[in-house]
């Protein structure tokens, strides 16, 4: 579906992409990882037809530079940095729907499912929305069309845990019929969403590897956390994850979506000295929790 052959790009005599060759097929969910300056964003811009380059890019039989309408009609794109648009939200949704041949209602339904109160923000300029609101709207615009290629740059970075859970479910609905390219600075942020990892460094592909494809993106994990003492900062974090406290704040119980397990555990490492016991179990309810020692 996507073919790159010896794609190179130079900016002011600096080689940003160095003969990148890749073949990507339907059903592949790819984590494109690498540090700042590795070439990830430039590669995406080339796929979107925004940059000239050496070498060849073919997307479904079309060239992004020569057939922008035909190629872009197949792509749903979620940028990392939202554009500074002053257009009112409702007008932006209508404009986006008309461009990609879908209905505003379809976009709005996805946005609402992600937890955005569309009625409250529809008259506000897009630029005035919070980071999380902007992200939900951009995901709705990308998902509210018949795109079989999804290109997402840190797509869930500004989403709250509940919105992330819904986002993962929406991804799961599309995973068999789409190509997904998800960029991130950190592999642990996206590892459970993908079945292939491509790492870039200094404009080159330094790793291209298949990974296990047995994660259920719609699964829920029940989690019990027992503390040695009450800590207000920890309580605020658990409340953000919609956990409920028991035993005067010494016990916290809640659910974490399967793809968010690594992210959640990464958060808990900040408070490792506080935690007396931790248990995570998939789709099973059990109220027992080892007491703090």
């Amino acid at each position: 579906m996507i073919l790159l052959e010896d794609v190179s790009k130079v900016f002011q005599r600096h080689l940003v992409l160095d003969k990148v060759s890749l073949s990507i097929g339907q059903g592949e969910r790819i984590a494109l990882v690498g540090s700042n300056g590795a070439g990830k964003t430039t590669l995406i811009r080339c796929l979107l037809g925004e940059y000239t380059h050496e070498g060849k890019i073919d997307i479904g039989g079309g060239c992004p530079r020569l057939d922008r309408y035909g190629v872009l009609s197949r792509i749903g794109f979620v940028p990392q940095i939202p554009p500074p648009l002053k257009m009112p939200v409702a007008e932006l949704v209508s404009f986006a729907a008309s461009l990609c041949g879908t209905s505003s209602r379809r976009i709005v339904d996805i946005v609402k499912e992600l937890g955005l109160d569309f009625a409250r923000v529809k008259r506000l300029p897009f630029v005035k929305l919070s980071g999380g609101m902007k992200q939900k709207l951009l995901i709705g615009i990308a998902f509210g069309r018949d795109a079989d290629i999804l290109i997402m740059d840190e797509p869930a970075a500004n989403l709250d845990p509940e919105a992330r859970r819904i986002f993962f479910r929406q991804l799961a609905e599309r995973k068999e019929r789409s190509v997904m390219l998800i960029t991130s600075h950190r592999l642990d942020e996206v590892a459970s969403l993908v079945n292939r990892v491509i790492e870039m460094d200094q404009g080159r592909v330094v790793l291209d590897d298949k990974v296990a494809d047995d994660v259920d993106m719609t699964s829920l994990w029940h989690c019990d956390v027992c503390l040695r003492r009450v800590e207000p900062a920890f309580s605020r974090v658990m409340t953000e994850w919609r956990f409920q406290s028991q035993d005067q704040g010494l016990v916290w119980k809640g659910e974490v979506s399967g793809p968010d397990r690594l992210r959640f555990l990464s958060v808990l490492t900040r408070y490792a000295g506080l935690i007396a016991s931790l248990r995570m179990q998939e789709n099973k309810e059990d109220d027992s929790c080892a007491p703090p020692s």
Side-chain angles (χ1 to χ4, degrees):
M1 186 173 287
I2 300 177
L3 179 65
L4 294 87
E5 295 180 351
D6 294 329
V7 175
S8 296
K9 178 63 181 176
V10 176
F11 284 118
Q12 297 178 346
R13 299 184 181 180
H14 176 60
L15 187 61
V16 182
L17 294 179
D18 187 4
K19 294 185 177 180
V20 175
S21 295
L22 293 168
S23 178
I24 302 171
Q26 182 176 338
E28 290 197 285
R29 305 187 306 279
I30 295 172
L32 183 63
V33 298
S35 60
N36 284 329
K40 305 187 304 296
T41 299
T42 300
L43 182 61
I44 287 176
R45 298 298 177 184
C46 289
L47 288 172
L48 295 174
E50 296 180 7
Y51 292 158
T52 59
H53 55 81
E54 295 182 5
K56 176 184 177 182
I57 296 180
D58 183 289
I59 298 181
C63 171
R65 287 293 294 179
L66 300 179
D67 183 18
R68 295 208 67 195
Y69 179 81
V71 170
L72 292 180
S73 66
R74 304 184 60 178
I75 297 176
F77 176 53
V78 182
Q80 179 185 9
I81 301 176
L85 299 174
K86 297 181 180 180
M87 187 182 299
V89 168
E91 187 177 331
L92 174 60
V93 169
S94 297
F95 176 71
S98 65
L99 281 182
C100 57
T102 189
S103 68
S104 297
R105 175 51 54 190
R106 187 174 175 187
I107 294 174
V108 170
D109 286 346
I110 294 173
V111 166
K112 287 181 176 179
E113 188 179 357
L114 287 166
L116 181 62
D117 187 347
F118 186 79
R120 185 169 68 88
V121 303
K122 65 181 182 180
R123 292 183 176 85
L124 296 177
F126 176 79
V127 73
K128 296 294 186 181
L129 302 183
S130 69
M133 290 177 176
K134 291 176 182 176
Q135 198 76 352
K136 291 173 183 178
L137 191 61
L138 292 172
I139 291 171
I141 290 172
F143 284 13
R145 58 190 300 180
D146 294 322
D148 56 0
I149 299 170
L150 296 173
I151 300 177
M152 299 168 283
D153 199 352
E154 303 278 1
N158 292 315
L159 298 182
D160 57 85
E162 180 62 21
R164 288 172 64 88
R165 181 185 303 180
I166 296 166
F167 171 67
F168 297 144
R169 187 174 70 239
Q170 292 174 346
L171 283 183
E173 293 171 357
R174 295 163 171 80
K175 70 176 186 177
E176 299 299 334
R177 64 179 188 270
S178 302
V179 166
M180 298 183 188
L181 186 62
I182 308 172
T183 70
S184 180
H185 299 299
R186 297 174 51 186
L187 179 57
D188 63 351
E189 291 283 332
V190 295
S192 56
L193 298 176
V194 303
N195 52 22
R196 181 178 173 186
V197 176
I198 296 173
E199 182 177 0
M200 296 188 67
D201 185 40
Q202 297 183 349
R204 295 183 178 181
V205 173
V206 295
L207 172 71
D208 185 354
D209 199 12
K210 301 283 187 179
V211 295
D213 191 16
D214 56 358
V215 174
D216 181 0
M217 284 192 272
T218 63
S219 68
L220 291 177
W221 287 68
H222 298 278
C223 181
D224 299 336
V225 185
C226 297
L227 303 181
R228 301 180 187 278
R229 67 177 188 277
V230 175
E231 172 57 56
F234 183 85
S235 299
R236 287 193 294 271
V237 170
M238 289 295 97
T239 300
E240 291 174 0
W241 283 82
R242 298 196 175 191
F243 273 52
Q244 301 295 319
S245 66
Q246 299 178 7
D247 195 14
Q248 298 181 330
L250 286 174
V251 177
W252 289 85
K253 295 176 179 288
E255 292 181 328
V256 177
S257 62
D260 247 356
R261 280 179 294 158
L262 286 177
R263 183 185 179 91
F264 179 71
L265 292 173
S266 178
V267 169
L268 291 186
T269 59
R270 306 174 200 165
Y271 306 95
L274 283 175
I275 297 175
S277 66
L278 167 66
R279 189 184 61 183
M280 298 182 72
Q281 189 170 21
E282 186 176 14
N283 296 327
K284 293 181 181 180
E285 295 184 2
D286 189 335
D287 291 333
S288 62
C289 184
S293 57

